[in-house]
Amino acid sequence: MRKMNLPNKLTMFRVILIFPFVILLLGESGGWGWYQKLFGNVMEYVDYIALAIFIIASLTDLIDGKIARKYNLVTNFGKFMDPLADKLLVSAAMIALVDLGRIPAWIVIVIISREFIISGFRLIASDNHVVIAANYWGKFKTTFQMVMVCLMIADIPKLRLLTDVVMWVALILTVVSLVDYLMKNKDVMREQK
């Protein structure tokens, strides 16, 4: 069995970071007694610790891809796990934020539904030996979603208007990127003869 390379280790590190991130973000609302004892003295900073973990996890996404391409370390495991790790991180963050009342559930449903649709589309394309590259709309969407999540975790009252604007832009980009993706790759859905 081959050793896992650095980009894949970073991807797995991102997945592992989801657990402490969610525990920190939801711990107070989860009613866990041990949580209060553990973080009693720093409760007011727990959201910022969770935010730091989210940012670190997000940065590993940038780093692992660059390392994999630069040093020719692209693997099938990485191709599968990297986008999955991103979806798990962002979905976990947004679901936790719904629980905290910081984002409407219907917006999260639209965003996560888009990811399921694109994943299914990519599966069909892969089955037909078609590689679908990520587009700029998708990259803009991801950027705005990450900024939105960071602003919502920080939950700074003075930035509420900015947070709302970024949330709506992220939602619009989610829908636009989905429509653009489907229109440009509609031939993938045609039955092969």
Side-chain angles (χ1 to χ4, degrees):
M1 186 174 165
R2 288 171 55 190
K3 283 178 69 175
M4 192 176 283
N5 65 30
L6 180 59
N8 291 342
K9 286 178 182 174
L10 287 169
T11 298
M12 291 310 300
F13 180 61
R14 185 158 70 256
V15 172
I16 291 165
L17 284 178
I18 294 169
F19 298 100
F21 164 70
V22 170
I23 288 169
L24 285 166
L25 198 57
L26 290 181
E28 195 173 6
S29 68
W32 303 322
W34 60 265
Y35 185 89
Q36 222 35 48
K37 289 175 187 168
L38 186 63
F39 296 107
N41 296 333
V42 291
M43 284 301 287
E44 59 188 289
Y45 304 110
V46 167
D47 279 0
Y48 295 109
I49 298 168
L51 176 59
I53 292 172
F54 182 81
I55 291 170
I56 290 166
S58 300
L59 289 175
T60 64
D61 181 33
L62 292 173
I63 297 166
D64 66 6
K66 285 187 179 182
I67 293 171
R69 286 184 293 277
K70 184 175 181 179
Y71 296 102
N72 196 25
L73 296 172
V74 177
T75 63
N76 287 334
F77 177 83
K79 288 180 196 174
F80 167 75
M81 202 62 206
D82 184 61
L84 182 60
D86 298 343
K87 288 173 181 54
L88 288 171
L89 176 65
V90 175
S91 297
M94 288 191 291
I95 291 167
L97 289 166
V98 168
D99 188 59
L100 295 171
R102 297 182 193 174
I103 186 171
W106 72 269
I107 290 178
V108 174
I109 291 168
V110 170
I111 291 171
I112 291 176
S113 296
R114 183 249 185 223
E115 300 306 331
F116 275 106
I117 292 166
I118 297 298
S119 294
F121 217 75
R122 280 203 166 122
L123 193 63
I124 293 168
S126 170
D127 198 40
N128 293 326
H129 307 290
V130 175
V131 176
I132 300 175
N135 62 22
Y136 285 106
W137 287 113
K139 290 176 182 175
F140 291 142
K141 177 262 316 172
T142 301
T143 301
F144 271 88
Q145 283 179 3
M146 295 293 196
V147 172
M148 174 192 77
V149 168
C150 288
L151 287 168
M152 288 181 174
I153 293 168
D155 196 29
I156 300 168
K158 289 182 179 178
L159 297 179
R160 175 58 53 201
L161 178 60
L162 175 64
T163 303
D164 288 345
V165 168
V166 171
M167 178 186 73
W168 286 107
V169 172
L171 179 65
I172 290 164
L173 288 173
T174 296
V175 174
V176 168
S177 67
L178 174 63
V179 171
D180 179 67
Y181 195 94
L182 296 177
M183 294 300 291
K184 285 182 177 171
N185 300 290
K186 58 182 180 278
D187 292 343
V188 169
M189 294 302 283
R190 295 202 177 122
E191 292 291 333
Q192 300 293 314
K193 294 184 180 179

